[in-house]
Amino acid sequence: MHLGLTTAGESHGPALVAIVTGLPAGLTLEKDAIDADLRRRQEGYGRSPRQQIETDEVEVLAGLRHGRTLGTPLALVVRNRDHRNWTWGMNPWPPEGEPQGKGTKPVTLPRPGHADLAGVLKYGLDDVRDALERASARHTAAHVAAGGVAKALLRAIGVEVAGSVLEIGGSADFHAAIDEARAERDTLGGVVEVRANGVPPGLGSYASKDDRLDARLAAALMGIQAVKGVEVGDGFALARLKGSEAHDEIRPGLTRDTNRAGGIEAGVSNGQELVVRAAMKPLPTLMKPLGSVDLESGEEAQALVERSDVAAVEALAVVAEAAVAWELARAAREKFGGDAFQDFVAAHAAYLARIQWTR
Ligand SMILES: Cc1cc2nc3c(=O)[nH]c(=O)nc-3n(C[C@H](O)[C@H](O)[C@H](O)COP(=O)(O)O)c2cc1C
């Protein structure tokens, strides 16, 4: 049984959409829990005023009845409230009447570090907006909604996933660092960590590289905008240790005193806590813009200035949590299968009984 996810939606278009396939029938979803994650994604010190316009909440168009999945494709929608200011500029159809609101003039000043230049060249566009609208991290809201579904599935087999911020702009004093960057009209990146408890041994596989859980988690995290580095367990620090210092010795009862591997050995979960980290670059939209070129004139220019976050590391922690939950749920569906929710739960229990895993 394979979990599938397709998302669609532009930053200032009418809505973001997620279609989730491969869910068992009978899984209970709670709107409040998904909405709480959507709100967490919007919060955080250093976000732009956009977050005050949007109050994200999930709408379900298909696949759910009375709060329980039907085993059919689940269609989730998160509306963009800000779209009301872009009804002309982001109209899916040729707009009628005089241009009004935002997004009425073509953008020709690509921002270094953003999708703008690559998108225009790759897709043959003459308005940078046609690239940036989808490349924007706004659609991570759709991934967070899908992650909420994954978390419900995982919770049923005792797996809890939580993301947190480790540092922003190299500092543990997040607010001070963000205040300073804002005053300098600059931006910051940072590091987030996601931990998952209760992951059974045996998710993922060493059989081929695409099956490896570490590879899949790395791809899931790297798939988030602005993530430029991922580590599993002690990651890069392991490269500086000796073999005798780097591994987690196995004790009677199959316990370990350490968890340097971050819960994965040979691409397979080993029953230890899963620990992954992601490094986020500073956001590329600067209020003090970097040098660029006007694509219309070919002349030197300054990059586009558009309403933007100073830092979005706290939001990344929520998006990364959703990405890890999604990958773990996908791996759990592959291992435990089941068309009915109770078959999925029973397969998990039978497996734990076979390997006599009591943690
Ligand atoms: C939650 C989140 C919020 C973001 N907010 C902004 C933002 O306000 N301004 C901006 O320039 N980039 C923002 N980004 C980063 C850009 O989307 C990203 O840098 C851009 O799409 C280019 O992709 P790349 O950085 O992966 O190369 C955000 C990323 C995330 C994960």
Side-chain angles (χ1 to χ4, degrees), residues 316-350:
L316 175 66
V318 180
V319 178
E321 173 184 301
V324 168
W326 178 262
E327 265 328 301
L328 290 178
R330 213 158 69 86
R333 285 298 284 148
E334 284 161 20
K335 181 139 181 65
F336 303 121
D339 293 320
F341 172 66
Q342 53 270 41
D343 295 344
F344 171 75
V345 173
H348 169 262

mmCIF file of all heavy atoms in Angstrom, residues 316-350:
data_model
loop_
_atom_site.group_PDB
_atom_site.id
_atom_site.type_symbol
_atom_site.label_atom_id
_atom_site.label_comp_id
_atom_site.label_asym_id
_atom_site.label_seq_id
_atom_site.Cartn_x
_atom_site.Cartn_y
_atom_site.Cartn_z
ATOM 1 N N LEU A 316 9.800 26.647 9.630
ATOM 2 C CA LEU A 316 10.461 25.473 9.049
ATOM 3 C C LEU A 316 10.370 24.278 9.997
ATOM 4 O O LEU A 316 10.205 23.144 9.547
ATOM 5 C CB LEU A 316 11.934 25.775 8.724
ATOM 6 C CG LEU A 316 12.702 24.552 8.221
ATOM 7 C CD1 LEU A 316 12.177 24.075 6.871
ATOM 8 C CD2 LEU A 316 14.197 24.816 8.141
ATOM 9 N N ALA A 317 10.469 24.522 11.307
ATOM 10 C CA ALA A 317 10.388 23.404 12.262
ATOM 11 C C ALA A 317 9.062 22.659 12.096
ATOM 12 O O ALA A 317 9.013 21.426 12.179
ATOM 13 C CB ALA A 317 10.549 23.918 13.688
ATOM 14 N N VAL A 318 7.988 23.398 11.826
ATOM 15 C CA VAL A 318 6.661 22.790 11.668
ATOM 16 C C VAL A 318 6.576 22.067 10.310
ATOM 17 O O VAL A 318 6.052 20.955 10.210
ATOM 18 C CB VAL A 318 5.560 23.867 11.782
ATOM 19 C CG1 VAL A 318 4.181 23.251 11.616
ATOM 20 C CG2 VAL A 318 5.682 24.606 13.108
ATOM 21 N N VAL A 319 7.119 22.713 9.285
ATOM 22 C CA VAL A 319 7.083 22.110 7.945
ATOM 23 C C VAL A 319 7.964 20.846 7.922
ATOM 24 O O VAL A 319 7.589 19.820 7.332
ATOM 25 C CB VAL A 319 7.574 23.131 6.892
ATOM 26 C CG1 VAL A 319 7.588 22.503 5.503
ATOM 27 C CG2 VAL A 319 6.693 24.378 6.903
ATOM 28 N N ALA A 320 9.114 20.910 8.592
ATOM 29 C CA ALA A 320 10.019 19.752 8.644
ATOM 30 C C ALA A 320 9.376 18.609 9.429
ATOM 31 O O ALA A 320 9.502 17.435 9.053
ATOM 32 C CB ALA A 320 11.352 20.160 9.273
ATOM 33 N N GLU A 321 8.687 18.959 10.485
ATOM 34 C CA GLU A 321 7.949 17.944 11.268
ATOM 35 C C GLU A 321 6.936 17.234 10.359
ATOM 36 O O GLU A 321 6.830 16.003 10.367
ATOM 37 C CB GLU A 321 7.248 18.657 12.426
ATOM 38 C CG GLU A 321 6.314 17.817 13.249
ATOM 39 C CD GLU A 321 5.600 18.686 14.310
ATOM 40 O OE1 GLU A 321 6.309 19.299 15.136
ATOM 41 O OE2 GLU A 321 4.358 18.744 14.298
ATOM 42 N N ALA A 322 6.224 18.014 9.557
ATOM 43 C CA ALA A 322 5.228 17.431 8.643
ATOM 44 C C ALA A 322 5.904 16.545 7.602
ATOM 45 O O ALA A 322 5.394 15.467 7.270
ATOM 46 C CB ALA A 322 4.443 18.550 7.954
ATOM 47 N N ALA A 323 7.071 16.991 7.104
ATOM 48 C CA ALA A 323 7.779 16.222 6.068
ATOM 49 C C ALA A 323 8.269 14.887 6.632
ATOM 50 O O ALA A 323 8.158 13.844 5.977
ATOM 51 C CB ALA A 323 8.953 17.037 5.522
ATOM 52 N N VAL A 324 8.794 14.919 7.851
ATOM 53 C CA VAL A 324 9.279 13.680 8.481
ATOM 54 C C VAL A 324 8.090 12.759 8.776
ATOM 55 O O VAL A 324 8.146 11.554 8.506
ATOM 56 C CB VAL A 324 10.073 14.004 9.767
ATOM 57 C CG1 VAL A 324 10.329 12.748 10.592
ATOM 58 C CG2 VAL A 324 11.395 14.684 9.404
ATOM 59 N N ALA A 325 7.004 13.340 9.289
ATOM 60 C CA ALA A 325 5.807 12.531 9.580
ATOM 61 C C ALA A 325 5.305 11.869 8.299
ATOM 62 O O ALA A 325 4.952 10.685 8.282
ATOM 63 C CB ALA A 325 4.712 13.397 10.191
ATOM 64 N N TRP A 326 5.320 12.642 7.216
ATOM 65 C CA TRP A 326 4.834 12.094 5.949
ATOM 66 C C TRP A 326 5.687 10.895 5.524
ATOM 67 O O TRP A 326 5.170 9.833 5.155
ATOM 68 C CB TRP A 326 4.826 13.168 4.861
ATOM 69 C CG TRP A 326 4.369 12.589 3.572
ATOM 70 C CD1 TRP A 326 5.142 12.164 2.537
ATOM 71 C CD2 TRP A 326 3.019 12.268 3.218
ATOM 72 N NE1 TRP A 326 4.362 11.605 1.569
ATOM 73 C CE2 TRP A 326 3.054 11.653 1.953
ATOM 74 C CE3 TRP A 326 1.794 12.436 3.854
ATOM 75 C CZ2 TRP A 326 1.901 11.215 1.313
ATOM 76 C CZ3 TRP A 326 0.639 11.993 3.216
ATOM 77 C CH2 TRP A 326 0.702 11.391 1.962
ATOM 78 N N GLU A 327 7.000 11.033 5.577
ATOM 79 C CA GLU A 327 7.896 9.947 5.146
ATOM 80 C C GLU A 327 7.757 8.726 6.046
ATOM 81 O O GLU A 327 7.782 7.587 5.577
ATOM 82 C CB GLU A 327 9.360 10.407 5.150
ATOM 83 C CG GLU A 327 9.910 10.903 3.850
ATOM 84 C CD GLU A 327 9.353 10.268 2.593
ATOM 85 O OE1 GLU A 327 9.457 9.033 2.418
ATOM 86 O OE2 GLU A 327 8.823 10.992 1.750
ATOM 87 N N LEU A 328 7.631 8.957 7.355
ATOM 88 C CA LEU A 328 7.472 7.825 8.282
ATOM 89 C C LEU A 328 6.139 7.124 8.038
ATOM 90 O O LEU A 328 6.058 5.892 8.066
ATOM 91 C CB LEU A 328 7.556 8.308 9.732
ATOM 92 C CG LEU A 328 8.942 8.768 10.209
ATOM 93 C CD1 LEU A 328 8.863 9.277 11.645
ATOM 94 C CD2 LEU A 328 9.967 7.626 10.106
ATOM 95 N N ALA A 329 5.102 7.907 7.779
ATOM 96 C CA ALA A 329 3.786 7.307 7.512
ATOM 97 C C ALA A 329 3.835 6.488 6.224
ATOM 98 O O ALA A 329 3.265 5.395 6.135
ATOM 99 C CB ALA A 329 2.719 8.394 7.424
ATOM 100 N N ARG A 330 4.551 7.013 5.246
ATOM 101 C CA ARG A 330 4.685 6.305 3.965
ATOM 102 C C ARG A 330 5.406 4.964 4.186
ATOM 103 O O ARG A 330 4.974 3.930 3.685
ATOM 104 C CB ARG A 330 5.495 7.192 3.013
ATOM 105 C CG ARG A 330 5.097 7.063 1.560
ATOM 106 C CD ARG A 330 5.521 8.289 0.787
ATOM 107 N NE ARG A 330 6.962 8.399 0.633
ATOM 108 C CZ ARG A 330 7.665 7.825 -0.339
ATOM 109 N NH1 ARG A 330 7.056 7.079 -1.244
ATOM 110 N NH2 ARG A 330 8.966 7.997 -0.423
ATOM 111 N N ALA A 331 6.485 5.022 4.965
ATOM 112 C CA ALA A 331 7.245 3.796 5.239
ATOM 113 C C ALA A 331 6.403 2.818 6.063
ATOM 114 O O ALA A 331 6.451 1.598 5.854
ATOM 115 C CB ALA A 331 8.543 4.143 5.970
ATOM 116 N N ALA A 332 5.604 3.350 6.986
ATOM 117 C CA ALA A 332 4.750 2.486 7.818
ATOM 118 C C ALA A 332 3.650 1.843 6.980
ATOM 119 O O ALA A 332 3.301 0.671 7.175
ATOM 120 C CB ALA A 332 4.149 3.289 8.965
ATOM 121 N N ARG A 333 3.111 2.588 6.017
ATOM 122 C CA ARG A 333 2.080 2.014 5.130
ATOM 123 C C ARG A 333 2.679 0.884 4.306
ATOM 124 O O ARG A 333 2.029 -0.132 4.061
ATOM 125 C CB ARG A 333 1.516 3.083 4.177
ATOM 126 C CG ARG A 333 0.567 4.069 4.790
ATOM 127 C CD ARG A 333 -0.697 3.426 5.338
ATOM 128 N NE ARG A 333 -1.667 3.044 4.350
ATOM 129 C CZ ARG A 333 -2.484 2.000 4.459
ATOM 130 N NH1 ARG A 333 -2.412 1.208 5.510
ATOM 131 N NH2 ARG A 333 -3.367 1.726 3.537
ATOM 132 N N GLU A 334 3.917 1.090 3.845
ATOM 133 C CA GLU A 334 4.566 0.044 3.048
ATOM 134 C C GLU A 334 4.756 -1.218 3.889
ATOM 135 O O GLU A 334 4.588 -2.332 3.406
ATOM 136 C CB GLU A 334 5.936 0.527 2.555
ATOM 137 C CG GLU A 334 5.822 1.498 1.400
ATOM 138 C CD GLU A 334 7.084 2.321 1.199
ATOM 139 O OE1 GLU A 334 8.160 1.915 1.678
ATOM 140 O OE2 GLU A 334 6.988 3.398 0.571
ATOM 141 N N LYS A 335 5.110 -1.030 5.155
ATOM 142 C CA LYS A 335 5.429 -2.196 5.990
ATOM 143 C C LYS A 335 4.175 -2.890 6.512
ATOM 144 O O LYS A 335 4.134 -4.113 6.581
ATOM 145 C CB LYS A 335 6.318 -1.761 7.159
ATOM 146 C CG LYS A 335 6.714 -2.900 8.066
ATOM 147 C CD LYS A 335 8.153 -2.834 8.501
ATOM 148 C CE LYS A 335 8.513 -3.998 9.386
ATOM 149 N NZ LYS A 335 8.431 -5.288 8.675
ATOM 150 N N PHE A 336 3.169 -2.112 6.896
ATOM 151 C CA PHE A 336 2.023 -2.717 7.590
ATOM 152 C C PHE A 336 0.758 -2.800 6.735
ATOM 153 O O PHE A 336 -0.178 -3.507 7.118
ATOM 154 C CB PHE A 336 1.753 -1.952 8.898
ATOM 155 C CG PHE A 336 2.960 -1.914 9.802
ATOM 156 C CD1 PHE A 336 3.518 -0.707 10.205
ATOM 157 C CD2 PHE A 336 3.556 -3.101 10.223
ATOM 158 C CE1 PHE A 336 4.654 -0.676 11.005
ATOM 159 C CE2 PHE A 336 4.689 -3.077 11.028
ATOM 160 C CZ PHE A 336 5.241 -1.857 11.420
ATOM 161 N N GLY A 337 0.705 -2.082 5.628
ATOM 162 C CA GLY A 337 -0.399 -2.206 4.660
ATOM 163 C C GLY A 337 -1.784 -2.064 5.269
ATOM 164 O O GLY A 337 -1.983 -1.353 6.252
ATOM 165 N N GLY A 338 -2.743 -2.767 4.678
ATOM 166 C CA GLY A 338 -4.096 -2.783 5.223
ATOM 167 C C GLY A 338 -5.018 -1.796 4.545
ATOM 168 O O GLY A 338 -4.726 -0.612 4.481
ATOM 169 N N ASP A 339 -6.154 -2.295 4.044
ATOM 170 C CA ASP A 339 -7.173 -1.401 3.479
ATOM 171 C C ASP A 339 -7.995 -0.779 4.597
ATOM 172 O O ASP A 339 -8.457 0.347 4.479
ATOM 173 C CB ASP A 339 -8.117 -2.187 2.547
ATOM 174 C CG ASP A 339 -7.386 -2.681 1.318
ATOM 175 O OD1 ASP A 339 -6.560 -1.927 0.777
ATOM 176 O OD2 ASP A 339 -7.618 -3.834 0.909
ATOM 177 N N ALA A 340 -8.191 -1.562 5.659
ATOM 178 C CA ALA A 340 -8.944 -1.064 6.820
ATOM 179 C C ALA A 340 -7.943 -0.601 7.874
ATOM 180 O O ALA A 340 -6.894 -1.226 8.066
ATOM 181 C CB ALA A 340 -9.825 -2.161 7.389
ATOM 182 N N PHE A 341 -8.285 0.473 8.575
ATOM 183 C CA PHE A 341 -7.401 1.025 9.600
ATOM 184 C C PHE A 341 -7.024 -0.047 10.625
ATOM 185 O O PHE A 341 -5.862 -0.169 11.026
ATOM 186 C CB PHE A 341 -8.124 2.207 10.268
ATOM 187 C CG PHE A 341 -7.426 2.746 11.467
ATOM 188 C CD1 PHE A 341 -6.191 3.366 11.348
ATOM 189 C CD2 PHE A 341 -8.007 2.625 12.727
ATOM 190 C CE1 PHE A 341 -5.546 3.865 12.472
ATOM 191 C CE2 PHE A 341 -7.367 3.122 13.843
ATOM 192 C CZ PHE A 341 -6.133 3.734 13.721
ATOM 193 N N GLN A 342 -8.025 -0.869 11.017
ATOM 194 C CA GLN A 342 -7.725 -1.867 12.052
ATOM 195 C C GLN A 342 -6.747 -2.935 11.552
ATOM 196 O O GLN A 342 -5.987 -3.498 12.334
ATOM 197 C CB GLN A 342 -9.010 -2.491 12.649
ATOM 198 C CG GLN A 342 -9.997 -3.083 11.666
ATOM 199 C CD GLN A 342 -11.012 -2.054 11.206
ATOM 200 O OE1 GLN A 342 -10.681 -0.903 10.946
ATOM 201 N NE2 GLN A 342 -12.269 -2.463 11.084
ATOM 202 N N ASP A 343 -6.725 -3.184 10.231
ATOM 203 C CA ASP A 343 -5.759 -4.151 9.682
ATOM 204 C C ASP A 343 -4.339 -3.585 9.792
ATOM 205 O O ASP A 343 -3.377 -4.306 10.072
ATOM 206 C CB ASP A 343 -6.050 -4.436 8.199
ATOM 207 C CG ASP A 343 -7.390 -5.140 7.991
ATOM 208 O OD1 ASP A 343 -7.939 -5.661 8.985
ATOM 209 O OD2 ASP A 343 -7.880 -5.137 6.850
ATOM 210 N N PHE A 344 -4.237 -2.284 9.539
ATOM 211 C CA PHE A 344 -2.941 -1.596 9.644
ATOM 212 C C PHE A 344 -2.414 -1.694 11.082
ATOM 213 O O PHE A 344 -1.271 -2.090 11.319
ATOM 214 C CB PHE A 344 -3.139 -0.132 9.220
ATOM 215 C CG PHE A 344 -1.983 0.786 9.453
ATOM 216 C CD1 PHE A 344 -0.851 0.743 8.639
ATOM 217 C CD2 PHE A 344 -2.025 1.723 10.486
ATOM 218 C CE1 PHE A 344 0.211 1.621 8.856
ATOM 219 C CE2 PHE A 344 -0.969 2.591 10.710
ATOM 220 C CZ PHE A 344 0.153 2.544 9.889
ATOM 221 N N VAL A 345 -3.273 -1.389 12.040
ATOM 222 C CA VAL A 345 -2.877 -1.405 13.458
ATOM 223 C C VAL A 345 -2.544 -2.837 13.889
ATOM 224 O O VAL A 345 -1.549 -3.068 14.604
ATOM 225 C CB VAL A 345 -4.006 -0.794 14.328
ATOM 226 C CG1 VAL A 345 -3.706 -0.953 15.806
ATOM 227 C CG2 VAL A 345 -4.190 0.676 13.974
ATOM 228 N N ALA A 346 -3.343 -3.798 13.419
ATOM 229 C CA ALA A 346 -3.124 -5.197 13.811
ATOM 230 C C ALA A 346 -1.803 -5.722 13.237
ATOM 231 O O ALA A 346 -1.082 -6.476 13.906
ATOM 232 C CB ALA A 346 -4.290 -6.057 13.341
ATOM 233 N N ALA A 347 -1.480 -5.310 12.012
ATOM 234 C CA ALA A 347 -0.223 -5.767 11.393
ATOM 235 C C ALA A 347 0.974 -5.221 12.173
ATOM 236 O O ALA A 347 1.973 -5.915 12.377
ATOM 237 C CB ALA A 347 -0.165 -5.317 9.932
ATOM 238 N N HIS A 348 0.870 -3.990 12.617
ATOM 239 C CA HIS A 348 1.931 -3.382 13.422
ATOM 240 C C HIS A 348 2.102 -4.163 14.727
ATOM 241 O O HIS A 348 3.219 -4.523 15.121
ATOM 242 C CB HIS A 348 1.585 -1.910 13.690
ATOM 243 C CG HIS A 348 2.435 -1.231 14.708
ATOM 244 N ND1 HIS A 348 2.045 -1.068 16.023
ATOM 245 C CD2 HIS A 348 3.680 -0.687 14.614
ATOM 246 C CE1 HIS A 348 3.001 -0.442 16.692
ATOM 247 N NE2 HIS A 348 4.004 -0.193 15.860
ATOM 248 N N ALA A 349 0.970 -4.472 15.379
ATOM 249 C CA ALA A 349 1.020 -5.180 16.666
ATOM 250 C C ALA A 349 1.601 -6.594 16.478
ATOM 251 O O ALA A 349 2.420 -7.043 17.293
ATOM 252 C CB ALA A 349 -0.384 -5.248 17.275
ATOM 253 N N ALA A 350 1.202 -7.256 15.406
ATOM 254 C CA ALA A 350 1.690 -8.621 15.156
ATOM 255 C C ALA A 350 3.203 -8.612 14.898
ATOM 256 O O ALA A 350 3.940 -9.496 15.356
ATOM 257 C CB ALA A 350 0.955 -9.219 13.956
#
